[in-house]
Amino acid sequence: MELMKAVRIHDYPADKLQNFLRLNEKSCVQLCAGIRKNENGIYVLTDEKNGEIWGVISTDHSIYHCLPKLKGPDPEFEICFYSLIGEKINSVVGDKTGTEVIVNLLKKKGLKDIYTNEYFLMTKEDDSALPPPASLLSMGEEIVCCNRTHADDLYDLQFHYLKEEVILPGKKTSDLYVRSNVKSILKNQKVFVIESDGKFVSKVNTNAIG
């Protein structure tokens, strides 16, 4: 393999990037969402000789990656990866093989307590193949599609979700972070709640739309 080159997503042909992501999106939904929101710190890894795309990686404090060609330790990837990362990495998210390679590289640099996260992507089936849903709501309950006016009502549910599922072990969150998070999901995602006796008791939202 020729030398690997890292190119900022803004400097890489958009059509080629979209074609690559379209083929691999199921294994990197959150990374794709970051690209659509034009977040910084995301790079396309290419073959320096022919420009062929090799993978995509976000190198902020949390590393999101889509590296289908990475099947194990790779010296060219190692050189490129070390040139991109900072001194503080909290977590790595992506397919298992790529995550294991990246975590091992971080350990070689002395970084410890790296949190890894694997998630299962839920996809919509053909409606005609599904049985009609049974009503699961109790008397007085209803499903509400939220908008920006519901930010305060969503605070407690989002706080407990973040504490249980997102905040790294040993870390604390803040009121500002929770409110910013609520504002972000209401702006960019679909949020539904079950309302019972005027109170939101359960919440579900998309984590990427594409």
Side-chain angles (χ1 to χ4, degrees):
M1 179 180 177
E2 299 295 328
L3 290 176
M4 190 179 296
K5 180 181 179 182
V7 182
R8 293 184 183 275
I9 57 171
H10 312 94
D11 300 323
Y12 192 83
D15 57 338
K16 291 185 178 181
L17 176 59
Q18 290 303 320
N19 288 337
F20 174 83
L21 295 174
R22 193 174 293 114
L23 293 173
N24 298 283
E25 186 170 13
K26 286 188 177 181
S27 64
C28 57
V29 173
Q30 197 68 22
L31 175 61
C32 291
I35 292 172
R36 292 191 182 96
K37 289 189 287 186
N38 220 21
E39 292 179 351
N40 294 320
I42 305 178
Y43 297 86
V44 179
L45 306 184
T46 68
D47 184 316
E48 196 169 35
K49 181 177 180 180
N50 57 30
E52 179 183 352
I53 189 166
W54 199 85
V56 181
I57 189 168
S58 169
T59 57
D60 201 355
H61 295 324
S62 293
I63 293 178
Y64 295 92
H65 62 87
C66 181
L67 304 166
K69 293 186 177 182
L70 187 63
K71 305 301 182 183
D74 184 293
E76 299 298 341
F77 174 74
E78 180 174 343
I79 294 171
C80 189
F81 177 73
Y82 283 147
S83 72
L84 297 175
I85 63 170
E87 296 183 356
K88 186 176 181 181
I89 303 295
N90 295 323
S91 61
V92 180
V93 181
D95 73 90
K96 185 176 181 180
T97 299
T99 293
E100 289 178 347
V101 172
I102 289 172
V103 168
N104 286 333
L105 291 177
L106 293 174
K107 288 180 178 178
K108 286 174 64 175
K109 283 290 187 181
L111 295 175
K112 301 178 181 179
D113 301 322
I114 303 300
Y115 179 77
T116 61
N117 186 23
E118 296 178 35
Y119 55 83
F120 177 78
L121 178 64
M122 297 175 65
T123 57
K124 186 176 183 296
E125 299 289 346
D126 180 3
D127 289 343
S128 64
L130 299 174
S135 176
L136 300 178
L137 297 178
S138 300
M139 186 70 69
E141 293 181 342
E142 64 174 317
I143 296 176
V144 177
C145 180
C146 295
N147 57 50
R148 296 181 186 184
T149 66
H150 295 111
D152 288 341
D153 298 313
L154 287 167
Y155 181 93
D156 283 344
L157 288 174
Q158 191 65 12
F159 169 78
H160 289 291
Y161 164 75
L162 292 171
K163 182 179 179 181
E164 183 70 23
E165 299 288 343
V166 178
I167 305 301
L168 301 178
K171 303 292 184 180
K172 294 183 178 180
T173 187
S174 67
D175 177 75
L176 180 62
Y177 175 74
V178 177
R179 293 191 183 280
S180 175
N181 195 261
V182 170
K183 182 179 179 180
S184 177
I185 64 171
L186 285 172
K187 178 181 178 181
N188 300 301
Q189 309 300 335
K190 299 292 186 181
V191 185
F192 298 90
V193 298
I194 293 179
E195 183 177 14
S196 178
D197 297 326
K199 183 178 180 180
F200 290 174
V201 296
S202 182
K203 174 183 75 68
V204 62
N205 62 269
T206 56
N207 69 347
I209 295 178

